[in-house]
Structures are given as C-alpha cells and as structure tokens.
Amino acid sequence: MPPLQRGALPPVVGFIDMDCFYVAVERARDPRLLGKPCAVVQYPTGQRGRPDLRPEDDRWRTGGPMGGIIAVSYEARARGVTRQMSGAEAKKVCPEVILVQVPTAFGKADLQIYKDAGDAVVDLLASRCDATEKRSVDEVAIDITGAAEHLLASRAAAELGAAASAATHLADSALSVDAAKVTRSSARQGHDKQQSRDTSELADGWEEVLRRAASDPVAWRLIAGAVVVKELRQQVESTLGFTCSGGVATNKVLAKLGCGLHKPNQQTLLLPHAAPVLLKDLPLDRLPGLGGDFGQAVKSRHFADFAACWVVGLGSGSLVGRNHRYERFLESVETC
C-alpha cells in the first residue's frame, strides 16, 4: 500500500440514499406491510373538513379520494405501479397493492414521522463521519475521509480489498455503464435494472482495480471509504431497520451519481479513472441542475467543456460544502 500524505489527497465522500424510505418508515411502524406490494399516497387536496389522521391511526386506503403516490415498494414496482400514478390508478394496475396515506395535521399533510426517521439516520451516520449534509428527507452526503484513513492505518490491505470488492459495484463495470444510460425520470420511478445482485456479479474489474491501487493512494483511500460505507449501511439496517444504497467518490456530485446506479441495498465506488467511461453516455438529467431544456442546451452547445470539467476533477475542494467549480460552469452556460 502506498504511503499516505494527509491533506495532499482528495477527500473521500460518501452518499447515502434510503431505499423506498416512506414505505420503509411505514413498514417499521406496521410489519403487516413487509413483503407486500404497497405504496404511500399523499393527502388528497380539496378535502377540507375531514378529520386528521394521526400516525398511529389506521391509514390504509381502500377507496374514496386519494392523492398521488409518493413512494412505491419494489414489490409494487414489479407489478407496474409507479410514482406518477394516483392511488386509484395503482389499484387498477395492481388490485392487491396496499395504499397508506401520509398522516395529516390541521388539514394538511404531516410528514414529521418521515423527517424524524431521516434525522435518526443522520445522527447514526454522524457518529463515524467528519461531516454530514442532509440533502433531503432520505439522502445524506457524508465526509468519511477520517474514517477511511483510520481503516487504512488499522487493517491490512488484503482485508480491505476483500471487504470492498465483496460488497461494491465499480462505476465503470458493464453493469454500471448500462445502468447509467437510464434517464433520471426512469431512475426515480424504478426500472428493471434496479434489482438486488448476487455478490458474484460485483467482481467485474476488481482484480485490476486492486492491482493498480497498490501504487495509487487516492484509490486506496476510496476503497477504504467503500468499506466504511458498507459498514455504515449495515449499521443503519441493524439499528434502525432501514436499508439504503451508497456511493463513494472524491466529491458529493459523483458520489450521488454512483449511489443511484445500483438500488436497492447496494453501493457503488466511482474511482477517478472511471468518470470518463461512466459519463460518456450518461443522460445529463442525471446530474444536479442539468435537467429539462437547460440540460439539452448544455449538451448541444457546451458538452465538450462540461466533459472536460469532470475529467480534470470537478468538485475539488470542500467535501460536503458548495461545489463552486460546478456552479461556475452552470452560470457560464446560463449567460450564453
């Protein structure tokens, strides 16, 4: 293993995305939902005067007005239910789907039980991270540089390599490159590439990565970071009962991108040399701020500059702070 020089190397950043989090929270509260196709539906608008539904009330909906779906279990996704549907539409596609309405308070949706569960995840992660940044109720960026360096100092290289390779996809593997071609909308709604994988399917490319890492301290830190994320994900599940997916890279944009490649309950390592391979056919709407017409404008007029920005190390600097290089790039496109 090459010697470490603290401060001279890029950071190690993780990204955690909870799996079907609203559904997971409801399942933790009501085990009858485990293993069954289910979805969480929003409070129906235009229903003033209806009594509030507290978290402890029976919130299963079998008929009547229902809001749009905000979370779908993987069992329901496999039967054709998507987040674009209303509750009634989901029932037509999958009659056996169980629809759980969010709680309400003072005539409005009350999402506190989900926020509290998300805060519990952040608190657990913070016990081992240098910094955490809650990106949404079910997403967290984490600075794991210190934890990765601790593993490098306390565990043998062979042990770390074996632990990482047994639990982690590589971002430039054939599976990952294929998954990266899916649009953001399809990724959010769920698609046929989002499925649990046997650990034997993760081996693609790891032998070469470990060989190259013998002389690459950046790669070794990231490999150690993959072990940290694996252990944190296991801790979240064993302590709180929630599964989550993870990504590891040198900045939070890439870590988030890697995290979204393989779900549920999986993780992906994006090493610096893998970025050009992964980004080659990546739909731009998979990246923050580059959706819709704006993303198309970037692709048609500035894609070469954009790709170069990534290859030279987009996001160097603060780990979970603002990505100034990325922001300046977006601003330069907007003013053209």
Side-chain angles (χ1 to χ4, degrees):
M1 184 186 304
L4 296 177
Q5 294 179 326
R6 186 174 179 87
L9 300 174
V12 183
V13 180
F15 199 92
I16 299 295
D17 184 0
M18 309 305 298
D19 296 327
C20 300
F21 192 47
Y22 287 78
V23 170
V25 172
E26 294 295 351
R27 283 175 163 172
R29 300 178 64 87
D30 187 349
R32 292 178 299 167
L33 296 171
L34 292 171
K36 296 179 180 178
C38 55
V40 177
V41 295
Q42 188 57 277
Y43 173 69
T45 58
Q47 298 294 310
R48 292 183 179 179
R50 293 173 62 91
D52 286 335
L53 282 175
R54 299 169 299 174
E56 60 270 25
D57 291 338
D58 180 4
R59 293 181 283 111
W60 289 22
R61 301 301 305 272
T62 57
M66 285 182 276
I69 290 176
I70 59 175
V72 187
S73 74
Y74 283 94
E75 296 87 351
R77 294 184 192 191
R79 292 166 171 80
V81 179
T82 73
R83 293 205 302 180
Q84 293 175 325
M85 294 178 176
S86 66
E89 290 170 332
K91 279 288 189 182
K92 291 180 181 179
V93 172
C94 178
E96 66 271 28
V97 68
I98 300 171
L99 301 175
V100 184
Q101 184 187 295
V102 301
T104 57
F106 306 105
K108 298 180 181 180
D110 179 11
L111 305 182
Q112 194 60 48
I113 58 172
Y114 314 110
K115 295 176 181 177
D116 290 345
D119 289 342
V121 172
V122 175
D123 289 344
L124 188 154
L125 296 173
S127 66
R128 196 174 173 186
C129 299
D130 297 333
T132 61
E133 180 181 285
K134 191 174 183 179
R135 305 291 292 171
S136 68
V137 69
D138 59 354
E139 294 183 329
V140 190
I142 52 177
D143 175 352
I144 52 175
T145 306
E149 291 183 342
H150 175 74
L151 286 190
L152 287 169
S154 59
R155 298 189 193 177
E159 180 184 355
L160 290 176
S165 62
T168 312
H169 292 274
L170 294 172
D172 57 347
S173 70
L175 281 175
S176 297
V177 172
D178 192 33
K181 297 176 182 178
V182 176
T183 65
R184 179 174 181 269
S185 176
S186 295
R188 286 175 59 83
Q189 299 300 332
H191 54 86
D192 59 5
K193 295 180 179 62
Q194 289 186 343
Q195 54 185 285
S196 298
R197 302 281 183 182
D198 186 86
T199 54
S200 63
E201 296 185 75
L202 277 59
D204 184 20
W206 265 104
E207 183 177 353
E208 176 63 14
V209 163
L210 293 175
R211 185 189 67 79
R212 293 173 57 175
S215 58
D216 184 350
V218 172
W220 264 120
R221 281 172 31 130
L222 291 169
I223 289 168
V227 178
V228 173
V229 167
K230 169 197 168 189
E231 293 175 353
L232 285 171
R233 290 175 49 242
Q234 290 173 335
Q235 189 176 357
V236 168
E237 183 173 10
S238 64
T239 304
L240 301 176
F242 304 133
T243 66
C244 55
S245 299
V248 182
T250 56
N251 63 68
K252 63 185 177 184
V253 178
L254 288 176
K256 176 179 171 63
L257 176 61
C259 180
L261 293 177
H262 299 289
K263 294 173 66 69
N265 199 24
Q266 298 170 77
Q267 65 181 58
T268 304
L269 171 62
L270 204 163
L271 294 166
H273 75 266
V277 177
L278 185 66
L279 294 166
K280 180 176 179 293
D281 296 314
L282 182 82
L284 287 187
D285 68 356
R286 292 289 292 269
L287 300 172
L290 289 170
D293 293 340
F294 180 54
Q296 290 303 312
V298 173
K299 187 171 184 177
S300 62
R301 293 185 291 160
H302 294 270
F303 188 74
D305 292 339
F306 174 76
C309 191
W310 281 93
V311 172
V312 299
L314 175 66
S316 60
S318 177
L319 287 197
V320 289
R322 296 177 63 187
N323 191 322
H324 295 287
R325 183 182 296 181
Y326 190 51
E327 291 175 356
R328 286 197 299 270
F329 172 74
L330 297 180
E331 290 170 359
S332 71
V333 176
E334 289 175 333
T335 57
C336 290

